Amino acid sequence: MDPVRNPYAPGAGQRPPELAGRDRELQQFEVVLERVARGRPERSMIITGLRGVGKTVLLNTFRSMAMQKLWGTGKIEARPEQSIRRPVAAALHMAVRELAPRHRAPERIEHFLGVLKSFAQAGEEPGGKGRARAHRWQPGIDVPAVRGRADSGDLEIDLTELFVDAASVATDLGVGIGLFVDEMQDVPADDVSALCAACHELSQIGGPLIVVGAGLPHLPTVLSASKSYSERLFRYARIDRLDREAADQALIAPAAREGVEFTPEALDALYEAADGYPYFVQAYAKVAWDVAPASPIGAADVEVAAPEAESELAVGFFGSRYERATPAERDYMRAMAMLGDDPVPTAAVAAELGRKPSSLSPARDGLIKKGLIYSAERGLVAFTVPHFGKFLRAQPT
Ligand SMILES: Nc1ncnc2c1ncn2[C@@H]1O[C@H](COP(=O)(O)OP(=O)(O)OP(=O)(O)O)[C@@H](O)[C@H]1O
Ligand SMILES: [Mg+2]
């Protein structure tokens, strides 16, 4: 059928034509927004899940919900070994710019921007010349920096002061500020701890600023290793494969809007192939639509589409990640794959490779850093990418 009208959207962070199966999380977040704006005690939300289950999409949806309530919002994507100071500064700059036109006291906004400027600059190497100078942050804030606030150089103190000030700007308007953090497991350890401490402080004074995160399944472990009270700061919403009803909904609703249907057998075959994983649902549906000559899309169309969808996934979803691994890391993952699809003991991986467990730590740590595997429990590792074991087992060695 007409590829131009094809509604399906496989791709990282691509907004799906139908956000299926996430009603509970959306309702919970609605409550969070209302309570926080009213200064009620409330835990913020952290979305966790495997690759391609829709964390980024849900985080973006949360952000839109906050914007609809006229909140100021900003988003960062964490990167390993990169301090969050500047990204957070840029995100809060964005958030406050959204609020500024509605604020009655321009000098309050100006003061905040001055604090923000010195916060951003406090991260710079002292006495830095030449190269460091070249990297000087150009925030496009044309107010003088306000010295002595949020600029101690200690991120925990500075973030707390910055958050408190940002929250008070939002309080003037009866709204809140949402800072959205994607790939949160990659925030460096010291910064995670500073971020939790700042959120903790805010929650105690009822300041309407929340940090909403998304990350891999071991994110709760990362947070509680950093601050023991993190469980009381955040409500963890683990999102997973769509159940049959939601997966069907993700397929049927967008097609119906184009006047296209699926036969029940086609829906069976698509669920079998995609296993309810949102990325796969989009990928198979996209090809099935293109190969089907006319509505309804039938089981035979899905059968024709499957190999093409699989080869696209092999390149775009699996292959692109596999490429990032070093040869030693690839051996490690292949050994994991041979041991099945459940989390496997690291000792068993070592035994499979005939190596001492300690000699494999660099490979394991490298894979965790690259977000290809995770360890949610001591001594166990698992793939972050659904069906990755199956993909690896199908590769020629
Ligand atoms: N609830 C949903 N219903 C239907 N499709 C969805 C849903 N959530 C996400 N998708 C689709 O799944 C794909 C992956 O979504 P997204 O990039 O948000 O996943 P992710 O969890 O952030 O993955 P990663 O860990 O790789 O960043 C996208 O193509 C998106 O359109
Ligand atoms: Mg994502």
Side-chain angles (χ1 to χ4, degrees), residues 76-395:
I76 72 171
E77 188 178 310
R79 300 220 169 81
E81 282 150 46
Q82 186 195 70
S83 167
I84 59 168
R85 186 181 283 267
R86 285 186 192 181
V88 164
L92 286 186
H93 187 201
M94 166 85 91
V96 168
R97 271 169 43 156
E98 283 167 6
L99 299 182
R102 280 178 281 131
H103 205 286
R104 297 250 180 80
E107 67 283 359
R108 295 256 299 143
I109 301 282
E110 230 170 71
H111 181 262
F112 174 75
L113 293 178
V115 171
L116 184 67
K117 194 171 193 174
S118 54
F119 169 83
Q121 289 172 354
E124 280 163 16
E125 310 280 298
K129 286 202 201 102
R131 249 191 64 153
R133 192 57 74 66
H135 286 104
R136 228 182 144 76
W137 194 52
Q138 300 296 344
I141 298 177
D142 53 2
V143 301
V146 174
R147 299 286 167 213
R149 186 130 178 102
D151 62 356
S152 73
D154 176 328
L155 189 65
E156 180 166 331
I157 297 170
D158 295 353
L159 264 185
T160 306
E161 291 181 352
L162 186 72
F163 281 4
V164 168
D165 287 6
S168 92
V169 169
T171 306
D172 297 343
L173 291 165
V175 295
I177 287 187
L179 175 62
F180 296 83
V181 183
D182 205 356
E183 303 289 351
M184 194 171 178
Q185 76 283 339
D186 285 341
V187 175
D190 287 348
D191 290 21
V192 162
S193 140
L195 197 57
C196 288
C199 290
H200 195 206
E201 184 66 27
L202 242 337
S203 73
Q204 286 167 33
I205 61 171
L209 181 149
I210 47 170
V211 172
V212 188
L216 292 173
H218 63 293
L219 177 56
T221 323
V222 170
L223 295 177
S224 55
S226 145
K227 293 282 185 207
S228 56
Y229 53 71
S230 66
E231 278 124 83
R232 278 170 283 136
L233 280 181
F234 301 112
R235 182 198 305 277
Y236 296 112
R238 164 106 195 215
I239 61 169
D240 213 328
R241 326 161 25 196
L242 302 174
D243 62 21
R244 175 66 198 257
E245 204 186 325
D248 285 359
Q249 169 78 0
L251 295 167
I252 293 170
R257 290 194 280 271
E258 300 290 336
V260 170
E261 290 179 355
F262 289 89
T263 67
E265 295 74 26
L267 291 172
D268 289 345
L270 283 167
Y271 195 72
E272 170 91 28
D275 200 19
Y277 284 106
Y279 195 106
F280 302 159
V281 170
Q282 301 295 332
Y284 283 93
K286 174 132 198 236
V287 183
W289 173 291
D290 283 350
V291 303
S295 176
I297 299 172
D301 301 322
V302 177
E303 204 178 313
V304 175
E308 191 181 323
E310 268 150 39
S311 64
E312 275 174 24
L313 286 169
V315 177
F317 192 70
F318 298 116
S320 63
R321 296 191 154 90
Y322 186 67
E323 301 288 304
R324 275 186 242 153
T326 65
E329 291 166 355
R330 291 178 188 180
D331 290 345
Y332 193 95
M333 290 196 291
R334 260 190 248 112
M336 279 176 67
M338 296 321 287
L339 294 164
D341 292 319
D342 293 326
V344 296
T346 49
V349 179
E352 174 78 21
L353 288 167
R355 301 267 304 271
K356 276 212 202 90
S358 58
S359 73
L360 293 171
S361 306
R364 188 201 53 208
D365 294 349
L367 287 167
I368 292 177
K369 201 169 258 173
K370 288 176 183 164
L372 286 162
I373 67 171
Y374 71 99
S375 171
E377 219 179 295
R378 221 184 152 73
L380 288 182
V381 285
F383 291 116
T384 59
V385 180
H387 292 188
F388 207 56
K390 195 169 126 196
F391 164 77
L392 290 174
R393 288 191 294 272
Q395 296 305 299

